[in-house]
Amino acid sequence: MRCGRSRCSRPADTVDDRTTLDDSTASTQSRRTVLQGIAATCAAGIGLTSVASATDSYTHYEDQYENVVNVVEAGADNTGSESITSVLEDERADNTLFVFPEGRYFMDKQFRFTGFENVGFVGDNATLVPANYYDFDGPQYRLFRLGVSYRPGKRLRFEGFEVDQTASDTGIRTIETYISERLEVRDVIIRGQHDSGTWGPGLFNITEPNGWGIVERFRAPDGGEWVDNTPMAGNRWRGPIGIEANQNRGTLEFRRCALGAFPNNGLYAAGGDGKIIVHGGYYSNSNGANVRVGGDNSEIRWPTVEIDDTRPEDKTQRGIRIENGREIEIYGAAVEISSPMPTSHAISVMNSCESARIANTRLQLEGSTVNHGIVISPDAGEVTIADTAITHETAGGYPLWIRNSDRSERVLAEYLTISGRAGDEGGFRDGIRCERDNCRFSHVEVIQHGRDGVDRNAIVNMAADLTVYRSKLRASQYPYIDIGSDALVRDSDLESSGGRHAVCLYPESHSPSFKKNRLVNGIRDLGATDVLTWENTY
């Protein structure tokens, strides 16, 4: 049965991607201090100030399909009383646009369609209502499975649906796609916590290197429950992922998406060799990592990541994690962590990341637990950090930690500002901890006055061939400590607010050079060898 065309309108976008979070989250926005300098730009970037027009129609899509099916006219119940899956199966045909008029559409079984050329699903104020875990026809806990890895679809459109999961145990994956040429998913919002323990709300993959996809305004702000608190207890690890894209081979963009707290990563797009783009969006309180990205030339641009709540089961809540690729860029990110676990780094550059650039990014960390800002893993490749500010006010930790490595690719930090009053819990008392050879810090400002009178250092170097150039270092203990070799500090200003020396050289220090610096109270030499000083002011 082929039904007549009907006019479809796109559902209105929310004013703020975060407005569907709980009241406690909403109340925290008044105290947000992340990115004071770029807050307005970031808000615009993630769509917090824009509203999509409710009068935009889907009728202009109809010429792209041979058939247009109004699912209600085809027999689908739009009162939420009877499952519509069998109707969709009866109407399943290639080159078809399925139009869902206003109403509620109950589903208790997966709708599967693979190997198609061109299919679309669009909603006009349409709400999908999954059956609960016990009544859903498992184990295929998905509403829509569109393409599979070995038989993908070619072109897919999926737009304009609200998913009502507010009833207990109704967390069923909304959509899973494998598409070879073109994927467009827009304006999907999931209401209610994903609490059945099944797969998370969305999985998206482009199967061909020349393929392209966009997932725009896909939002699951109420997050997911830990699996041991669901009907799937004991059958899975941790629980659902918010959005998954781990077999992507093409270019796949996530634009202005929003995810609440999921137990097994928020956006997890690190397993494929394609390019991932994250543009804007709001990601909060997920365990594992809130934004986890891999793939050559991938980009994370203008997202806001906030961690202000930790559940008893949470073990690590990293802000952004990059891995599995080269030339990965983070640009314009805002990460605020006020409820840290000890390993909840704001940004993690993992061992499998061959090269990365972090620029125009602002990090704010606070709380009563040790936490670190940017952590570069031992086997990571070349990393550049530019035009970035880190405010660090935790009980201890390193705002920048360049971990011990046998690799010689340079880590460059330029125009980096580190500030805030942190503690020294666990012995983590340094603004920059440099354990890797061939690092360069240019035009950096590190201010480490310490919380409640504790001793903090600005830079501690434990490696070879470090250069510090035109920088300002302030610390309650020592602005600069050297335990490495062949370091050069030049044209910089070093002063201890605690009345200590500007520089402390340990016996392990070999051939350090200090040229044209202002070194308040001079150098404390505990037995270094071949120290060179030239035209310094003391």
Side-chain angles (χ1 to χ4, degrees):
M1 174 178 173
R2 297 289 174 261
C3 302
R5 297 182 175 184
S6 64
R7 182 175 180 84
C8 302
S9 61
R10 184 174 303 169
D13 197 2
T14 57
V15 173
D16 187 324
D17 287 337
R18 298 166 294 179
T19 55
T20 54
L21 297 170
D22 59 35
D23 292 339
S24 63
T25 300
S27 68
T28 65
Q29 305 313 313
S30 62
R31 65 164 178 80
R32 286 177 57 85
T33 54
V34 156
L35 279 191
Q36 293 178 351
I38 63 169
T41 305
C42 183
I46 64 175
L48 303 185
T49 59
S50 64
V51 179
S53 170
T55 62
D56 290 348
S57 77
Y58 292 121
T59 55
H60 59 286
Y61 295 155
E62 295 178 356
D63 291 339
Q64 302 174 27
Y65 303 89
E66 294 178 3
N67 308 302
V68 177
V69 174
N70 180 314
V71 297
V72 174
E73 294 178 9
D77 173 66
N78 67 341
T79 68
S81 301
E82 298 181 7
S83 177
I84 67 166
T85 307
S86 61
V87 175
L88 297 179
E89 291 174 341
D90 289 342
E91 297 295 326
R92 180 168 43 209
D94 208 343
N95 282 299
T96 298
L97 178 67
F98 294 85
V99 177
F100 290 67
E102 183 173 357
R104 294 172 63 81
Y105 298 88
F106 178 68
M107 298 183 71
D108 61 1
K109 181 181 177 181
Q110 169 184 277
F111 173 71
R112 172 174 165 147
F113 197 1
T114 65
F116 53 82
E117 288 285 321
N118 186 29
V119 170
F121 301 83
V122 295
D124 178 7
N125 294 318
T127 299
L128 304 175
V129 184
N132 67 42
Y133 171 86
Y134 303 101
D135 296 331
F136 201 89
D137 185 12
Q140 305 301 331
Y141 294 103
R142 312 175 186 89
L143 300 185
F144 291 88
R145 190 180 194 188
L146 304 172
V148 292
S149 59
Y150 54 88
R151 196 165 185 263
K154 188 173 182 180
R155 296 187 300 277
L156 172 67
R157 182 186 308 280
F158 190 94
E159 299 187 12
F161 292 97
E162 181 172 312
V163 182
D164 185 357
Q165 299 184 162
T166 55
S168 297
D169 304 324
T170 54
I172 307 298
R173 172 165 287 173
T174 299
I175 179 173
E176 179 173 310
T177 70
Y178 287 85
I179 301 299
S180 63
E181 184 176 290
R182 187 178 184 89
L183 169 70
E184 296 180 70
V185 176
R186 294 186 177 90
D187 297 307
V188 177
I189 184 164
I190 297 164
R191 310 284 187 183
Q193 188 184 49
H194 193 96
D195 62 353
S196 67
T198 63
W199 299 303
L203 181 147
F204 309 97
N205 285 303
I206 304 299
T207 62
E208 295 297 328
N210 293 328
W212 173 87
I214 185 168
V215 178
E216 185 171 13
R217 294 183 298 273
F218 186 97
R219 290 163 288 181
D222 296 312
E225 181 61 271
W226 279 79
V227 68
D228 287 344
N229 302 325
T230 75
M232 286 284 284
N235 294 320
R236 297 178 67 84
W237 185 58
R238 290 184 176 177
I241 297 168
I243 297 175
E244 186 173 357
N246 273 348
Q247 296 178 342
N248 176 61
R249 299 189 62 207
T251 298
L252 181 56
E253 178 175 355
F254 296 94
R255 177 178 286 264
R256 294 175 59 197
C257 296
L259 297 173
F262 282 88
N264 190 10
N265 294 283
L267 172 60
Y268 189 179
D273 56 9
K275 179 177 180 177
I276 296 292
I277 300 171
V278 178
H279 190 107
Y282 179 74
Y283 302 88
S284 66
N285 296 326
S286 286
N287 186 70
N290 284 268
V291 176
R292 183 172 174 179
V293 167
D296 291 350
N297 302 298
S298 291
E299 303 172 9
I300 302 172
R301 306 181 70 82
W302 302 109
T304 295
V305 178
E306 183 174 23
I307 301 165
D308 63 356
D309 184 63
T310 299
R311 297 180 288 187
E313 300 89 348
D314 291 325
K315 301 300 181 184
T316 176
Q317 294 174 290
R318 299 191 184 189
I320 297 173
R321 171 174 167 167
I322 55 176
E323 58 194 288
N324 188 36
R326 62 182 66 250
E327 298 186 23
I328 300 175
E329 182 179 37
I330 300 172
Y331 186 88
V335 182
E336 179 177 335
I337 301 177
S338 58
S339 180
M341 301 294 291
T343 56
S344 296
H345 318 325
I347 296 177
S348 293
V349 182
M350 303 303 290
N351 287 323
S352 59
C353 183
E354 285 297 318
S355 57
R357 180 178 176 86
I358 302 167
N360 199 28
T361 289
R362 302 293 182 268
L363 313 178
Q364 178 159 325
L365 298 90
E366 60 185 54
S368 59
T369 307
V370 171
N371 204 10
H372 309 294
I374 300 173
V375 178
I376 300 174
S377 297
D379 290 331
E382 180 178 344
V383 178
T384 298
I385 303 167
D387 298 301
T388 287
I390 304 173
T391 303
H392 185 256
E393 298 185 333
T394 70
Y398 305 139
L400 172 57
W401 187 4
I402 306 169
R403 297 188 62 187
N404 187 21
S405 175
D406 293 330
R407 299 191 67 156
S408 60
E409 293 94 334
R410 170 166 287 179
V411 174
L412 169 64
E414 54 185 359
Y415 298 98
L416 168 67
T417 300
I418 295 174
S419 62
R421 292 183 179 270
D424 61 353
E425 186 176 315
F428 300 108
R429 66 176 74 227
D430 310 325
I432 298 178
R433 181 81 164 186
C434 180
E435 303 172 355
R436 175 173 175 158
D437 296 348
N438 193 29
C439 293
R440 178 179 173 89
F441 305 141
S442 175
H443 297 83
V444 304
E445 180 176 299
V446 184
I447 311 296
Q448 293 289 285
H449 290 314
R451 175 188 293 185
D452 299 326
V454 305
D455 291 331
R456 298 277 302 181
N457 307 304
I459 295 178
V460 173
N461 175 50
M462 305 178 69
D465 300 313
L466 169 69
T467 298
V468 179
Y469 177 68
R470 288 191 179 274
S471 295
K472 178 180 178 181
L473 309 181
R474 299 286 187 271
S476 55
Q477 186 165 248
Y478 296 112
Y480 179 80
I481 293 177
D482 194 76
I483 316 175
S485 62
D486 300 302
L488 171 63
V489 180
R490 176 162 184 156
D491 297 294
S492 296
D493 191 310
L494 288 69
E495 183 174 357
S496 169
S497 61
R500 309 284 184 94
H501 297 78
V503 174
C504 182
L505 304 177
Y506 279 81
E508 297 86 348
S509 177
H510 179 72
S511 298
S513 299
F514 301 89
K515 299 180 179 181
K516 291 188 174 183
N517 302 291
R518 177 177 176 265
L519 305 176
V520 177
N521 293 331
I523 297 174
R524 185 185 184 191
D525 187 346
L526 300 176
T529 56
D530 297 328
V531 180
L532 173 64
T533 61
W534 182 62
E535 292 190 12
N536 297 292
T537 300
Y538 297 99

